[in-house]
Amino acid sequence: MTANKRPQVVIVGAGFGGLWAARTIDTSRADITIIDHNNYHTFLPLLYQVSAAELEPEEIAYPIRAILRKVRHSDFILADVKGIDFSKRLVETDGVKIPYDYLILATGSTSFYFGVPGAEENAFSLKTLEEGTILRNHILCNFEQAVHEADSGRKERLLTFVVVGGGATGVEFAGALAELIYGPLERDYPTLDFGQVRVILLEAADNLLMHMPEKLRRYSLERLSGMGVDIRLGAVVGKIEKSAVHLKDGSIIETDTVVWTAGVRGDPLAERLGLPVSRNGRVKVMPTLQVPEHRNVYVVGDLAYFEEDGEQLPLVAPVAIQQGTVAANNIVRQIGGREPEPFEYKDRGTMVTIGRNAGVARLPGRSYTGLFAWILWLAVHLLNLIGFRNRILVMINWSQDYFLFERAVRFIFPSGAYSKIKALQCASKPETGERKEKKEFG
Amino acid sequence: MTANKRPQVVIVGAGFGGLWAARTIDTSRADITIIDHNNYHTFLPLLYQVSAAELEPEEIAYPIRAILRKVRHSDFILADVKGIDFSKRLVETDGVKIPYDYLILATGSTSFYFGVPGAEENAFSLKTLEEGTILRNHILCNFEQAVHEADSGRKERLLTFVVVGGGATGVEFAGALAELIYGPLERDYPTLDFGQVRVILLEAADNLLMHMPEKLRRYSLERLSGMGVDIRLGAVVGKIEKSAVHLKDGSIIETDTVVWTAGVRGDPLAERLGLPVSRNGRVKVMPTLQVPEHRNVYVVGDLAYFEEDGEQLPLVAPVAIQQGTVAANNIVRQIGGREPEPFEYKDRGTMVTIGRNAGVARLPGRSYTGLFAWILWLAVHLLNLIGFRNRILVMINWSQDYFLFERAVRFIFPSGAYSKIKALQCASKPETGERKEKKEFG
């Protein structure tokens, strides 16, 4: 049992926070174990491109064990964390129980619906690779159904796509969706009238990208409009039904597709564990990222509530990466009998891509719009993507899109009427009835 | 309704037979409509590599609409065919009904279990992209569970992989699985004893690859054995349970993974339609590939029963491709008032890959084993794969495997405890219990 004398560091979650913690910890001083319910890390900043049939799921995923091969004294457990016994220092999963000396919680965030009725049940979410794939399948299925749909009301609902939330995810997804529709899909469905297709972006505030400088917001609004996105500011969602969005002003948008990007909250695990959380379910941590009641427990990334200058840090990858790194170093300090150090966020800026040749970037001291910001966005995301192979594949896809105006696979999978996987099927089929009007061919 | 005066050719199924028919038909003479329950064509000869985590699903899939873009007067319908009204000349789907003047049935084949009890319920099948993915997820999940499994019996079942059937699919999959396990997975699970892992290939006959020349069979047997596959000839399966295979000789192999490649039969649609079928569910066609009762209905590929020299043609892509082509030309002949011509199979040989640098090829007049046959196999499959992009991606994966001894993604997806997709989840979790023995690290 000599191995057990080494401090055991357990990391729950292999997102940016958890993974950077694992890569940072000095494993000559401790053993680490990562627990995740997937066997892969997901590069979430590009998830919306999976939904827009631009990238394949595995191109933004990377096997956790492949990453850990380079980390000595590391282990991985594929499991779902059910609870934590803080007094016995045990992580309880649906399988084994894992003892820890130090714990890093990095389970991230989920969608937050602000109590809007029907939102959770009827809207698509964009927080996991599976959700991203379900949304892609749904969008492509809608076109397959619409092309043979005789009922005009039903056809309109199939071809109306509503994105709720004008933050970075909403803007990026709406742009990518418009480019998918008014490009490759127009060529795939030559008999469909694309004047009937609508991409609507709803934002409750009076501008997009609230945390961006005014110039960047204005640019984003103009570019996105120019790409065919119907942007509605000050549009507050009151209710979401299976085939309609009700706005607070009384108007109704009939649609089979509502994508919710308007809110995020900390993973519910934190509340279940009885940890002190903020209104949006994030754990209130000490400046050192420790949990006040349990000094051997750290929380990082989206799950951590951390204020700077009176505002909570945004739920973005750079915060998670920096916090994961600091938590890892603080644990090594504790092991060595030293005091943990406070975390300080180094904001290197944010970037949003809107479409072909169009991005916005807020860097320290300067802002950019257009081609330069777009190239910067591409470069930063490509370089930060984990895995050489993934970079190559993403580059192939992006090049194909850029030079050939083509999306790779337009793949409804898993799918099909014979599929056992109900959740990923085409949700509904067009009305039965003999196809009377055979379309005229070119 | 002038467009309707053009003859309507409907093709059910976008496999090799259906697709080649669509590409062949002279669409200045007829409109064509393809119906399939997937929106993509699957390159089935490489499906086993998806299950062996060598290729990703979309790399062997190609969107049907992308293929049809190049075919004028063509249309695609994503639907499940429920029945055919031969008198009214209507294809009934779960959505629209589609009228036809000429019909090509090309729905392929499914697994055939010869009435072996428990086989259909408990064995994995390798006939669709979804089945291929489910099997891959299952194999990788087994390793994730085995590495933390304390119970030795359960561990043995998790790490025993049984392939039933020593035909081309069984041999190729067993080889690819052995290379996955005794290569990348050994590096992924450094604490697991790979002496416990077994890949067992069961064949009822007294040799592998029955239709190959003796020299090729002997070579395959030797190579596969050398790669660690435990080949058992004359092993007749009597019963398959959830965690065991019972052989007719009374012996029992405890395993959680049985892959069935021992039999195929025509798609059950043919029987449901009341067409005259052979014992293995294939439609008995005329020499012209027409159905005797319905001279405007053709059957091609795996679904067609066609004898040559007293033996039925094998269920392979070249037969389907050649038959699809002939059926398409025969329809055009009929439209032009000419007689359909009989089909004649041009056998250009068959090839099977066993592993790295090892293949067997029977070509007209000569047979090859080893490196040359393997390179030939690679080249033929790469060139016949549909889509330039897919060829590039497959080449990247194969190169990575060949030069780095690495499999691309080892991706359990869709997966995870939070997944809504039950069928693709890790089927079962290891027994609960505190992980007592922390492994010793290198």
Side-chain angles (χ1 to χ4, degrees):
Chain A
M1 299 292 273
T2 45
N4 261 346
K5 285 191 186 143
R6 292 166 52 88
Q8 300 297 309
V9 180
V10 172
I11 300 167
V12 182
F16 288 106
L19 214 53
W20 258 258
R23 288 169 147 190
T24 304
I25 284 182
D26 177 358
T27 49
S28 69
R29 310 288 296 277
D31 294 345
I32 61 167
T33 301
I34 293 193
I35 308 171
D36 199 291
H37 58 274
N38 288 316
N39 77 333
Y40 53 86
H41 164 79
T42 310
F43 191 79
L44 288 176
L46 290 179
L47 180 63
Y48 76 93
Q49 297 203 353
V50 171
S51 296
E54 167 97 39
L55 298 177
E56 291 305 319
E58 78 279 357
E59 290 165 1
I60 61 164
Y62 200 78
I64 295 166
R65 288 191 181 276
I67 299 164
L68 292 187
R69 278 185 193 171
K70 295 169 197 145
V71 182
R72 289 189 61 184
H73 306 300
S74 71
D75 194 14
F76 169 67
I77 294 179
L78 180 71
D80 202 8
V81 169
K82 294 296 181 188
I84 289 163
D85 187 331
F86 290 110
S87 60
K88 287 188 187 155
R89 301 190 168 185
L90 274 181
V91 177
E92 292 154 359
T93 73
D94 50 355
V96 288
K97 288 180 182 159
I98 302 122
Y100 67 84
D101 298 306
Y102 297 92
L103 181 65
I104 298 179
L105 294 175
T107 54
S109 56
T110 60
S111 284
F112 187 41
Y113 299 98
F114 305 105
V116 171
E120 186 164 3
E121 298 86 324
N122 298 312
F124 290 86
S125 172
L126 254 178
K127 293 294 293 174
T128 69
L129 208 49
E130 278 158 13
E131 289 175 345
T133 309
I134 289 171
L135 176 56
R136 177 197 64 185
N137 287 352
H138 174 82
I139 293 166
L140 296 174
C141 277
N142 279 11
F143 279 88
E144 287 299 340
Q145 290 169 45
V147 76
H148 298 295
E149 179 60 62
D151 180 88
S152 66
R154 216 183 124 64
K155 192 166 189 168
E156 191 189 321
R157 292 197 295 277
L158 285 168
L159 295 178
T160 301
F161 300 91
V162 176
V163 181
V164 183
T169 306
V171 165
E172 292 189 321
F173 177 64
L177 182 61
E179 284 193 341
L180 168 70
I181 290 172
Y182 303 115
L185 293 193
E186 269 206 61
R187 294 204 298 286
D188 272 350
Y189 303 90
T191 61
L192 197 68
D193 174 10
F194 275 71
Q196 294 184 287
V197 184
R198 292 186 299 165
V199 178
I200 301 170
L201 179 61
L202 303 178
E203 168 55 51
D206 60 358
N207 222 323
L208 302 177
L209 302 174
M210 292 239 298
H211 295 283
M212 286 289 202
E214 172 58 23
K215 184 183 90 173
L216 274 53
R217 294 188 212 167
R218 210 171 44 236
Y219 174 87
S220 304
L221 193 80
E222 279 163 16
R223 285 305 292 242
L224 215 49
S225 295
M227 288 163 63
V229 177
D230 174 0
I231 303 166
R232 306 193 187 169
L233 302 174
V236 184
V237 173
K239 185 167 68 171
I240 299 178
E241 293 172 336
K242 198 174 173 315
S243 291
V245 180
H246 296 251
L247 301 185
K248 279 272 168 71
D249 67 7
S251 61
I252 297 171
I253 305 169
E254 297 206 40
T255 174
D256 287 343
T257 314
V258 182
V259 183
W260 186 270
T261 72
V264 273
R265 50 154 292 153
D267 181 61
L269 175 71
E271 265 174 299
R272 285 211 314 273
L273 296 176
L275 294 174
V277 294
S278 66
R279 277 194 313 134
N280 58 354
R282 305 173 80 182
V283 180
K284 291 175 177 162
V285 291
M286 297 166 62
T288 53
L289 303 175
Q290 289 164 293
V291 175
E293 297 84 345
H294 313 288
R295 298 298 169 98
N296 61 334
V297 178
Y298 289 76
V299 183
V300 301
D302 285 5
L303 190 62
Y305 183 89
F306 196 96
E307 276 190 10
E308 232 176 52
D309 307 329
E311 264 197 87
Q312 60 177 311
L313 290 181
L315 296 89
V316 294
V319 172
I321 287 172
Q322 291 178 34
Q323 288 186 341
T325 310
V326 166
N329 288 331
N330 277 348
I331 287 173
V332 174
R333 294 179 72 86
Q334 278 189 299
I335 291 170
R338 287 177 296 158
E339 281 299 304
E341 289 188 332
F343 171 73
E344 205 177 319
Y345 179 47
K346 284 168 205 69
D347 183 2
R348 300 206 180 89
T350 56
M351 287 177 281
V352 174
T353 192
I354 294 151
R356 180 177 290 270
N357 299 340
V360 295
R362 175 188 60 73
L363 303 187
R366 249 212 93 169
S367 294
Y368 300 89
T369 59
L371 182 64
F372 176 74
W374 182 74
I375 290 172
L376 200 63
W377 184 95
L378 290 179
V380 165
H381 283 79
L382 208 53
L383 290 173
N384 281 291
L385 193 62
I386 295 175
F388 179 70
R389 179 177 170 276
N390 283 358
R391 283 180 209 147
I392 300 266
L393 296 183
V394 168
M395 220 152 64
I396 289 175
N397 279 345
W398 285 353
S399 306
Q400 192 178 21
D401 188 11
Y402 191 77
F403 295 110
L404 306 176
F405 292 81
E406 185 61 291
R407 295 291 164 97
V409 176
R410 316 191 291 290
F411 189 40
I412 304 176
F413 180 82
S415 79
Y418 297 135
S419 169
K420 293 171 192 159
I421 307 109
K422 296 290 169 200
L424 293 189
Q425 277 187 22
C426 273
S428 49
K429 292 284 177 177
E431 302 300 310
T432 305
E434 187 167 335
R435 186 173 57 151
K436 291 195 188 69
E437 307 163 83
K438 184 77 172 69
K439 67 212 183 337
E440 297 276 339
F441 287 106
Chain B
M1 299 294 273
T2 45
N4 262 348
K5 286 189 187 144
R6 292 166 54 86
Q8 300 298 309
V9 180
V10 172
I11 300 165
V12 182
F16 288 106
L19 215 54
W20 257 259
R23 287 169 148 190
T24 304
I25 283 182
D26 177 358
T27 50
S28 70
R29 310 287 296 276
D31 294 345
I32 60 167
T33 301
I34 293 194
I35 309 171
D36 200 291
H37 58 274
N38 288 314
N39 78 334
Y40 53 86
H41 163 80
T42 310
F43 191 80
L44 288 175
L46 292 179
L47 180 64
Y48 77 92
Q49 295 203 354
V50 171
S51 296
E54 167 96 37
L55 298 177
E56 291 305 318
E58 78 279 356
E59 291 165 2
I60 62 163
Y62 200 77
I64 295 165
R65 288 191 181 277
I67 298 164
L68 293 187
R69 278 185 192 170
K70 293 169 198 147
V71 182
R72 289 189 60 185
H73 307 300
S74 71
D75 194 13
F76 170 67
I77 294 179
L78 180 71
D80 202 8
V81 169
K82 293 297 183 190
I84 290 164
D85 187 331
F86 291 109
S87 60
K88 289 190 187 153
R89 300 189 168 186
L90 274 180
V91 178
E92 292 154 0
T93 73
D94 49 355
V96 287
K97 288 180 181 159
I98 302 122
Y100 67 84
D101 299 307
Y102 297 92
L103 182 65
I104 298 177
L105 294 175
T107 53
S109 56
T110 60
S111 285
F112 187 41
Y113 300 98
F114 305 103
V116 171
E120 186 163 5
E121 299 86 324
N122 297 313
F124 289 86
S125 172
L126 254 179
K127 292 294 292 176
T128 69
L129 209 49
E130 278 157 13
E131 289 174 347
T133 310
I134 288 170
L135 176 56
R136 176 197 65 187
N137 288 352
H138 174 82
I139 293 165
L140 296 174
C141 277
N142 279 10
F143 279 88
E144 287 298 340
Q145 289 168 46
V147 76
H148 299 293
E149 180 59 63
D151 180 87
S152 66
R154 217 184 122 64
K155 193 167 190 168
E156 190 189 322
R157 291 196 295 276
L158 285 167
L159 295 178
T160 301
F161 300 91
V162 176
V163 181
V164 183
T169 306
V171 165
E172 293 190 322
F173 176 65
L177 182 62
E179 283 194 340
L180 167 70
I181 290 172
Y182 303 115
L185 294 191
E186 270 207 61
R187 294 203 298 287
D188 271 350
Y189 302 90
T191 61
L192 197 68
D193 174 10
F194 275 72
Q196 294 184 288
V197 184
R198 291 186 300 164
V199 178
I200 301 170
L201 180 61
L202 304 178
E203 167 55 50
D206 61 357
N207 222 322
L208 303 177
L209 302 174
M210 293 239 298
H211 295 284
M212 287 287 204
E214 172 59 23
K215 184 183 92 174
L216 274 53
R217 295 188 211 167
R218 210 171 43 237
Y219 175 87
S220 304
L221 193 81
E222 278 163 18
R223 285 306 292 244
L224 215 48
S225 295
M227 288 163 63
V229 177
D230 175 359
I231 303 166
R232 305 195 187 168
L233 300 174
V236 184
V237 173
K239 185 168 68 170
I240 300 179
E241 293 172 335
K242 197 174 174 312
S243 291
V245 179
H246 295 251
L247 300 185
K248 279 271 169 74
D249 67 6
S251 61
I252 297 172
I253 305 168
E254 297 206 39
T255 173
D256 287 343
T257 313
V258 182
V259 183
W260 186 271
T261 72
V264 274
R265 49 154 292 153
D267 182 58
L269 176 70
E271 265 173 300
R272 286 211 313 273
L273 296 176
L275 294 175
V277 295
S278 65
R279 277 195 313 134
N280 58 354
R282 305 173 80 181
V283 179
K284 290 175 178 161
V285 290
M286 297 166 61
T288 53
L289 304 175
Q290 289 165 293
V291 175
E293 297 85 343
H294 312 288
R295 298 298 168 98
N296 60 335
V297 178
Y298 290 77
V299 182
V300 301
D302 285 5
L303 191 62
Y305 183 90
F306 195 96
E307 276 190 10
E308 232 176 53
D309 307 327
E311 262 197 88
Q312 60 177 311
L313 290 181
L315 297 89
V316 294
V319 172
I321 288 172
Q322 292 178 32
Q323 289 187 340
T325 310
V326 166
N329 287 331
N330 277 349
I331 287 173
V332 174
R333 295 179 71 85
Q334 280 188 298
I335 291 170
R338 286 177 296 160
E339 281 300 304
E341 290 188 331
F343 170 74
E344 205 177 319
Y345 178 47
K346 283 168 205 68
D347 183 2
R348 301 206 178 88
T350 55
M351 287 178 280
V352 173
T353 191
I354 293 152
R356 178 177 293 269
N357 300 341
V360 295
R362 175 187 60 74
L363 302 187
R366 246 210 97 167
S367 293
Y368 300 89
T369 59
L371 182 64
F372 175 74
W374 182 74
I375 290 172
L376 199 63
W377 184 96
L378 290 178
V380 166
H381 283 79
L382 209 52
L383 289 173
N384 281 290
L385 193 61
I386 295 176
F388 178 70
R389 179 176 170 277
N390 283 359
R391 283 181 210 148
I392 301 264
L393 297 184
V394 168
M395 221 154 60
I396 289 176
N397 278 347
W398 285 354
S399 305
Q400 193 179 20
D401 188 12
Y402 191 76
F403 295 110
L404 306 176
F405 293 81
E406 185 62 291
R407 295 291 163 98
V409 175
R410 315 192 292 290
F411 189 40
I412 304 175
F413 179 82
S415 79
Y418 296 134
S419 169
K420 294 170 191 158
I421 306 109
K422 296 290 169 199
L424 293 190
Q425 278 186 22
C426 273
S428 50
K429 293 283 178 180
E431 302 300 309
T432 305
E434 187 167 335
R435 185 173 57 153
K436 291 194 189 72
E437 307 163 82
K438 184 80 172 67
K439 68 214 179 339
E440 298 277 339
F441 287 105

